[in-house]
Amino acid sequence: MSSNQMSRMDFGLSRPSRQHYLAYLLLAPAVILIALLIAYPMLLSFDLSFQDVGISKLGDPRKPFTLLNYRKLLTSTEFWQACWVTLRLVVIVTACCMVLGLATALLVNNSFRGRPIARFAVALPWAIPEIVAVVIFSRLFDSSFGMVNWALVRLGVVTEPINWFSDPGAAFVVVCVVMVWKGYPFVSIMALAGLQAIPEELYQAGKVDGAKAWQRLVYITLPMLMPVFGVILVLVVLWIFRDFSIVYLLTGGGPIRATQTLSVLTYQQAFSFFKMGYASAIGIVTLIFCVLLSRFLIGRSARGMY
Amino acid sequence: MRRQTYASVLLYVSVVLTCAILLFPVYWLVVTALSEPARLHELPPQFWVAAPRWEVFDRVMAQRPVLLWLGNSAQAALGAVALSMAVSVFAAYSLSRFTVRGGQSLGLFVLTAKMLPATLLVIPLFGIFRAVGFIGDLRSVILAHATLIIPFSTWMLKGYFDTIPRELDQAAMVDGCSPFGALFRIVLPVATPGLAATALYGFVLSWSDYAYARTFLTSAQNAWTANLGLTTMQGEYITDWNEVAAVALIVALPVVVVYLFLERYLVGGLTAGAEK
């Protein structure tokens, strides 16, 4: 398209007086798409959560308003157990991801030969699809011929091989391991980005004043990373909260619901038991948890994000 | 001097060790795919494949429609990335260059969109797509993936556009460029790294999706994406590890290659989005 055609096409929108029309025009496609595919569905599922429906069909007459789903949810043990599983998963996996992510970022932020390769390697699991990670770790944690059991027995940590997928506690550990492996690279990438934004002068000044390496880490690097950390923390927590495929494919929420998170419970109620009203109610409550949690986490420290 | 040598040796050792431990699972996938079937069922495990059996790839290609799955995944990912880039480039430009009412709450909006559990969104989307006949059709996942990508990509691109001085496109407009001309000829060429990072992010997101594909496409085998196809190979009792691992490698390969080419843009692109 030549610039001539373009200027004819913009209907005088480049004139300063009409520029805010242009601004809205540019935003329109995004807004329309989001309204149709996020806002409208959200309203639908909010509405569904107050109806006693099985398989929802668009255009069906609306069922009468009821609080049944929410009442059922608050009195069911499966819901509270899913909350507890999700909470433990969020705390453990977030802590591990943050520590491992920061450690790897600090490591590859040093200057050495082959640094690009190390960086690529450290962040690689981020690009591996979750389902592939599930395949890898179900092989590694295979009860009879898995590498992990073999190594544990060999090292004398355990005497008997562990039944990773039929023991509730062990299955939870496997889920945690897979999620940490998939989750830490994101922290690493973001932390690395934050590290590179720290001005070199600060370190030089620190060196001049005689700060040792660990002092530079504690008094310069970590405080300077804090704003980025707030953002990373929220994104990681939300990811764990909402992630579905890892748990669903790895354990299906079992054994005896030991790894059934809120996301898995929602999906199973909707598409295994076809209780879409009830599932929507669980999903809405999950969403409320996410909102409260991230408000709490962001606090005032990371307002810069907005 | 000596201390420095010590330090650099220590650094190398820790880098190599870290990478070895973190990437061991990937290596193990390769070993599993190429091992002799019998060796997968004996201990101690074999750490090195002396005689790799490459024919496993031919076998899975012949037995399963792997190429079809890959094609479907590629269509879904490219479609979702194209759609979301087309939409979010304009939105981000608008938010970066003009003061739009409510534009300040973009960050908040992105965060809210990140909070929506896919498992919740998938329920009404299933109803909507069924009503318009998109179930079992790749258009359903393209649209669903685009909704995942658009909020975040708009946010990333806005951050990136903000780092490009306004004077650049203002100068172009003074010289007679239309706002679109300024965007396409001045801003976008400068923003290439940001565009690359954003596209990479979208591609990885779409390629890795399982929840949407499972819900919308399970009924139509011809529309299965690579991820969905792979999950059907893991039996409850018997799993042919050679074949599963081989297909897993094939599924992971495209996204790793894309990542290889675009990784250097990622840190820069994410920084622009994350800080300010």
Side-chain angles (χ1 to χ4, degrees):
Chain A
M1 205 183 276
S2 79
S3 78
N4 217 344
Q5 270 175 312
M6 265 187 176
S7 53
R8 241 184 291 135
M9 256 188 62
D10 70 11
F11 307 111
L13 283 171
S14 45
R15 257 189 271 160
S17 59
R18 300 207 183 149
Q19 279 208 339
H20 65 277
Y21 292 116
L22 175 66
Y24 289 115
L25 187 72
L26 289 171
L27 270 179
V31 172
I32 292 170
L33 216 57
I34 283 166
L36 280 178
L37 291 165
I38 298 184
Y40 173 59
M42 280 313 296
L43 287 177
L44 276 184
S45 54
F46 190 67
D47 193 35
L48 270 180
S49 74
F50 290 107
Q51 301 171 51
D52 186 16
V53 283
I55 305 178
S56 80
K57 238 192 225 155
L58 213 63
D60 277 357
R62 202 187 170 287
K63 295 257 175 70
F65 176 89
T66 170
L67 286 173
L68 188 84
N69 293 321
Y70 288 95
R71 209 174 304 142
K72 185 171 154 195
L73 173 147
L74 291 175
T75 52
S76 78
T77 47
E78 59 181 8
F79 171 73
W80 291 110
Q81 186 170 5
C83 288
W84 173 231
V85 169
T86 312
L87 180 71
R88 275 190 303 159
L89 200 65
V90 165
V91 171
I92 295 171
V93 175
T94 308
C96 297
C97 282
M98 293 305 265
V99 171
L100 194 56
L102 180 64
T104 47
L106 285 171
L107 190 64
V108 297
N109 195 41
N110 286 302
S111 49
F112 53 89
R113 279 215 333 205
R115 178 162 80 159
I117 301 170
R119 260 188 209 175
F120 173 79
V122 155
L124 183 64
W126 181 74
I128 305 271
E130 291 185 344
I131 152 79
V132 174
V134 168
V135 168
I136 297 176
F137 283 93
S138 7
R139 171 73 192 149
L140 278 171
F141 283 96
D142 186 86
S143 307
S144 337
F145 303 104
M147 160 73 72
V148 176
N149 265 345
W150 175 79
L152 288 179
V153 172
R154 193 71 203 268
L155 293 172
V157 180
V158 291
T159 44
E160 285 287 298
I162 300 171
N163 269 323
W164 289 104
F165 294 98
S166 49
D167 178 76
F172 187 78
V173 172
V174 179
V175 169
C176 286
V177 169
V178 180
M179 290 198 91
V180 170
W181 190 72
K182 265 302 289 171
Y184 88 86
F186 180 73
V187 181
S188 187
I189 295 170
M190 296 285 277
L192 196 58
L195 283 173
Q196 284 175 352
I198 301 176
E200 187 59 31
E201 292 82 45
L202 284 181
Y203 291 104
Q204 279 159 4
K207 269 186 202 166
V208 169
D209 290 345
K212 298 200 175 62
W214 68 267
Q215 286 171 322
R216 292 198 295 269
L217 175 70
V218 174
Y219 295 111
I220 301 176
T221 310
L222 292 183
M224 289 296 284
L225 274 184
M226 273 307 148
V228 188
F229 249 54
V231 178
I232 307 175
L233 184 67
V234 176
L235 291 177
V236 170
V237 165
L238 289 179
W239 167 69
I240 303 165
F241 227 102
R242 303 168 322 125
D243 189 77
F244 156 76
S245 10
I246 291 182
V247 181
Y248 185 79
L249 290 167
L250 203 59
T251 63
I256 33 175
R257 300 207 193 113
T259 56
Q260 193 175 48
T261 59
L262 286 166
S263 290
V264 172
L265 182 64
T266 310
Y267 194 87
Q268 284 174 337
Q269 289 297 334
F271 294 102
S272 307
F273 305 119
F274 297 105
K275 293 183 194 155
M276 295 202 174
Y278 182 46
S280 299
I282 303 170
I284 296 283
V285 175
T286 313
L287 177 62
I288 294 171
F289 283 158
C290 287
V291 172
L292 291 179
L293 196 66
S294 47
R295 295 230 68 169
F296 168 73
L297 284 177
I298 288 179
R300 299 226 172 103
S301 63
R303 282 285 142 154
M305 188 180 172
Y306 301 151
Chain B
M1 198 61 224
R2 168 160 262 176
R3 252 186 92 173
Q4 268 190 349
T5 334
Y6 267 143
S8 78
V9 168
L10 193 67
L11 181 66
Y12 268 106
V13 170
S14 41
V15 167
V16 170
L17 263 182
T18 312
C19 290
I21 293 172
L22 292 174
L23 291 190
F24 178 75
V26 179
Y27 171 72
W28 202 238
L29 186 66
V30 180
V31 169
T32 306
L34 300 178
S35 289
E36 223 176 292
R39 311 270 339 230
L40 292 176
H41 298 287
E42 59 186 42
L43 289 174
Q46 165 195 33
F47 284 88
W48 177 251
V49 192
R53 296 162 62 91
W54 298 102
E55 64 271 20
V56 67
F57 290 104
D58 297 330
R59 204 166 72 225
V60 287
M61 288 289 200
Q63 284 173 358
R64 315 257 174 178
V66 179
L67 285 178
L68 176 76
W69 296 344
L70 288 175
N72 287 335
S73 275
Q75 272 184 52
L78 294 178
V81 168
L83 178 62
S84 47
M85 289 300 277
V87 167
S88 54
V89 158
F90 291 120
Y93 186 63
S94 168
L95 291 166
S96 165
R97 291 305 195 255
F98 306 101
T99 34
V100 185
R101 209 181 304 157
Q104 273 68 41
S105 44
L106 174 72
L108 190 64
F109 169 72
V110 169
L111 197 63
T112 319
K114 277 249 136 199
M115 287 175 209
L116 296 178
T119 43
L120 173 61
L121 212 50
V122 84
I123 301 169
L125 281 179
F126 183 73
I128 295 172
F129 286 147
R130 201 157 59 153
V132 294
F134 278 9
I135 294 298
D137 187 317
L138 281 173
R139 279 174 294 182
S140 61
V141 268
I142 291 180
L143 285 171
H145 293 173
T147 60
L148 287 180
I149 302 169
I150 289 170
F152 205 69
S153 61
T154 306
W155 182 51
M156 265 172 80
L157 284 176
K158 180 196 176 280
Y160 212 85
F161 290 164
D162 283 345
T163 63
I164 299 169
R166 265 165 191 253
E167 288 75 28
L168 267 183
D169 35 322
Q170 275 165 355
M173 284 198 263
V174 168
D175 289 347
C177 242
S178 71
F180 287 101
L183 172 62
F184 282 107
R185 289 159 186 232
I186 312 292
V187 179
L188 290 190
V190 181
T192 313
L195 292 173
T198 314
L200 165 68
Y201 177 83
F203 187 89
V204 172
L205 215 63
S206 170
W207 192 274
S208 330
D209 164 69
Y210 169 71
Y212 287 117
R214 188 200 128 93
T215 316
F216 303 144
L217 302 177
T218 301
S219 55
Q221 292 209 12
N222 283 330
W224 281 4
T225 57
N227 275 344
L228 192 55
L230 176 57
T231 54
T232 61
M233 293 179 62
Q234 263 191 304
E236 197 154 331
Y237 302 105
I238 317 160
T239 301
D240 186 330
W241 284 111
N242 283 125
E243 295 186 0
V244 173
V247 173
L249 276 176
I250 298 173
V251 169
L253 191 66
V255 78
V256 170
V257 169
V258 169
Y259 172 67
L260 186 65
F261 281 113
L262 294 179
E263 187 249 358
R264 58 207 160 109
Y265 298 122
L266 191 67
V267 172
L270 279 177
T271 338
E275 303 176 344
K276 177 49 231 152

